[in-house]
Amino acid sequence: MKIFIDTANLDEVAEIASWGILDGVTTNPSLVAKEGKDFKETVTKMCEYVPEVSAQVTATDHEGMIKQAEEYSGWHKHIVVKVPMVKDGLKTIAYCKSKGIKTNCTLVFSANQAILAAKAGATMLSPFIGRLDDAGQDGMELIAEIVSIWKNYDFDTEVLVASTRHPRHIIEAAEIGADICTIPFKILEKMPVHPLTTSGLKRFMDDWEKVKS
Ligand code: G3P
């Protein structure tokens, strides 16, 4: 399973990339607005750390989306153009596929939407599991449903689990066999930590001090 970080913060990307475990970055307009930095400069710098950086179009019509997709993909070869799951978005994904531009279909909340994104030629698609959980549904069930459908066909669209909210989400996504998980920095920081590792290391170091003295 590929691990992406869900952020528009360059320091967070640099830190997680330094662990040697990072495969990509996803950004979105809300994350970019939170950081308040230049969008083009931020995503282009991120491309120096990882081979896939999602940059979302903000146009809502097909023509505008295509214009932004062509612009963003020209910034760096690692850019993946993020396109919302709407009808004009599907047209844009199909256009990008014909031009060799990678896409990430975002705001996916149903298996029907996932099938359409794959048919249009999305490189990856992003079901938002945390937001489904918030709405009283089981977001991970959607991932299981999509992965199960994918076993019947030869769709090469990668299933990217987005809107992850806690470390269990990452384990469950891996058990199901999702291709990618995008994870906020705060959750990534929790993943290497276990109290028995902390106490075990302390005991080793305390014993080692006794040998030395
Ligand atoms: O990648 C999508 C993600 O940023 C959405 O997360 O927590 O806003 O639902 P959240």
Side-chain angles (χ1 to χ4, degrees), residues 8-153:
N9 182 300
L10 195 59
D11 293 337
E12 293 181 355
V13 173
E15 168 61 17
I16 303 302
S18 76
W19 298 0
I21 57 98
L22 194 62
D23 301 297
V25 181
T26 49
T27 66
N28 65 40
S30 306
L31 291 170
V32 173
K34 192 176 117 199
E35 297 301 326
K37 299 264 171 67
D38 183 74
F39 176 49
K40 178 181 175 182
E41 196 182 322
T42 301
V43 294
T44 307
K45 279 194 182 146
M46 286 174 174
C47 289
E48 292 168 20
Y49 292 93
V50 286
E52 291 182 314
V53 176
S54 286
Q56 187 166 334
V57 298
T58 49
T60 51
D61 64 299
H62 179 50
E63 290 309 313
M65 286 182 189
I66 282 180
K67 209 169 151 220
Q68 287 184 323
E70 282 179 334
E71 184 194 344
Y72 297 178
S73 62
W75 291 344
H76 198 287
K77 64 178 187 225
H78 294 174
I79 293 283
V80 177
V81 179
K82 208 172 184 188
V83 181
M85 167 40 75
V86 290
K87 290 172 200 164
D88 277 9
L90 284 171
K91 291 183 208 170
T92 303
I93 288 165
Y95 173 86
C96 287
K97 172 80 176 171
S98 75
K99 297 285 176 190
I101 299 170
K102 283 187 174 182
T103 52
N104 173 359
C105 183
T106 192
L107 291 167
V108 169
F109 292 96
S110 77
N112 274 328
Q113 293 177 323
I115 290 167
L116 295 182
K119 292 286 291 178
T123 313
M124 57 192 81
L125 61 87
S126 298
F128 279 24
I129 60 163
R131 293 194 193 180
L132 280 169
D133 290 352
D134 291 345
Q137 287 178 245
D138 183 346
M140 204 54 79
E141 265 180 21
L142 175 59
I143 302 301
E145 195 173 25
I146 296 168
V147 169
S148 142
I149 291 167
W150 261 223
K151 289 192 176 120
N152 296 335
Y153 303 99

